[in-house]
Amino acid sequence: MTKRVPVLEKILSANENLAEEIRSRLDEAGVYSLNFMASPGAGKTSLIEQTVKHLAGRLRVAVIDGDIATSIDADRAAAAGALAVQINTGGECHLDAAMVSAALPQLDLTQVDLLIVENVGNLVCPASFVLGTHASVLIASTPEGDDKPYKYPGMYRGVDALVINKIDLLPYLTFNMEEFRRGVEILNPGLVTFPLSCRTGEGLDRWLGWLTDSMQSFAASKRGK
Ligand SMILES: Nc1nc2c(ncn2[C@@H]2O[C@H](COP(=O)(O)OP(=O)(O)OP(=O)(O)O)[C@@H](O)[C@H]2O)c(=O)[nH]1
Ligand SMILES: [Mg+2]
């Protein structure tokens, strides 16, 4: 009989243990955190730039940026006003908890209210590796096509909020919003969704409202303990 070696289960459970440690560190520091996931070019860094700029003077934002190579995204986040750290995975197609844990000491968490982790652009692997963040946000974008929930169900099933970016391009595309939303609803019923454009700013207010409400609920839950 063929024996099965449970290597993947072990890797994932080690990752989950480390993610719990990260969550404890963030909870203790009172830092609310998000894991941004998306395909390459959907607009993760653009949404970080917009979020940091709109929260300036009210909330202090830190960013951990995951990319295979370069510090382009961390440089963009820093230019927008965030404390930013770049992780280069050197080929790995996702961030894991060990990478985030190694990056955390580079941030003074006493100076941070919100931590955004920008995952590597990929609609498959990041869904399997929890990072200890309080919520995960999927940034879809209209040029990717309305069939993506159907083709990448694992990613759509596991997230807490969905941004539909690049709505300014809708007049030029065949993107069917009803079809897209139907696919999302099957996988993740009632998922909170924010159609917006990082280019024009349309829809950003609802996203920022959700984010600040989530942060207030987090702060209230910490006070209640
Ligand atoms: N038209 C339009 N373009 C956008 C919008 N948001 C982002 N872009 C453009 O889309 C491209 C990719 O944006 P990024 O923010 O770098 O995307 P990303 O998801 O961070 O990309 P990776 O980190 O490389 O995976 C850039 O050329 C942006 O200017 C938008 O709302 N509308
Ligand atoms: Mg980016």
Side-chain angles (χ1 to χ4, degrees):
M1 205 173 109
T2 309
K3 284 195 178 155
R4 211 168 143 263
V5 183
V7 176
L8 184 61
E9 283 89 336
K10 274 196 184 151
I11 291 171
L12 290 178
S13 88
N15 187 72
E16 273 166 31
N17 293 340
L18 199 47
E20 274 176 33
E21 278 177 32
I22 292 171
R23 173 73 69 94
S24 302
R25 278 153 81 181
L26 294 170
D27 281 346
E28 265 170 42
V31 175
Y32 186 68
S33 55
L34 297 174
N35 178 9
F36 273 17
M37 294 181 284
S39 61
K44 298 176 290 300
T45 313
S46 300
L47 187 60
I48 287 170
E49 290 172 323
Q50 291 295 339
T51 303
V52 171
K53 283 181 191 158
H54 280 85
L55 296 180
R58 285 192 289 146
L59 294 166
R60 299 161 300 179
V61 186
V63 174
I64 295 178
D65 247 298
D67 276 297
I68 288 174
T70 81
S71 65
I72 291 173
D73 284 2
D75 294 345
R76 284 173 61 188
L83 277 175
V85 178
Q86 181 78 49
I87 297 172
N88 281 148
T89 67
E92 286 292 331
C93 54
H94 58 272
L95 289 179
D96 62 28
M99 297 178 200
V100 173
S101 179
L104 270 185
Q106 295 188 49
L107 295 168
D108 179 359
L109 293 180
T110 64
Q111 301 302 312
V112 176
D113 301 302
L114 169 67
L115 171 67
I116 301 176
V117 181
E118 177 179 347
N119 219 311
V120 181
N122 182 333
L123 282 182
V124 184
C125 314
S128 299
F129 288 83
V130 288
L131 302 179
T133 53
H134 295 94
S136 42
V137 179
L138 172 58
I139 295 116
S141 67
T142 55
E144 292 167 43
D146 49 37
D147 57 357
K148 291 302 166 288
Y150 304 92
K151 295 176 73 174
Y152 299 92
M155 177 60 79
Y156 279 82
R157 209 177 270 127
V159 294
D160 304 296
L162 171 65
V163 168
I164 308 171
N165 189 30
K166 309 195 189 183
I167 57 169
D168 55 293
L169 297 179
L170 281 172
Y172 314 103
L173 303 169
T174 55
F175 186 91
N176 182 331
M177 189 64 85
E178 288 307 307
E179 181 70 3
F180 178 83
R181 283 182 178 272
R182 213 175 1 260
V184 175
E185 187 59 24
I186 293 164
L187 296 164
N188 198 331
L191 180 65
V192 59
T193 302
F194 305 99
L196 57 80
S197 167
C198 289
R199 170 83 29 102
T200 66
E202 186 184 353
L204 272 175
D205 47 351
R206 265 194 73 233
W207 155 253
L208 293 165
W210 175 83
L211 177 56
T212 46
D213 285 353
S214 303
M215 292 180 69
Q216 275 167 12
S217 305
F218 170 72
S221 75
K222 294 284 124 211
R223 278 196 302 274
K225 279 190 179 159

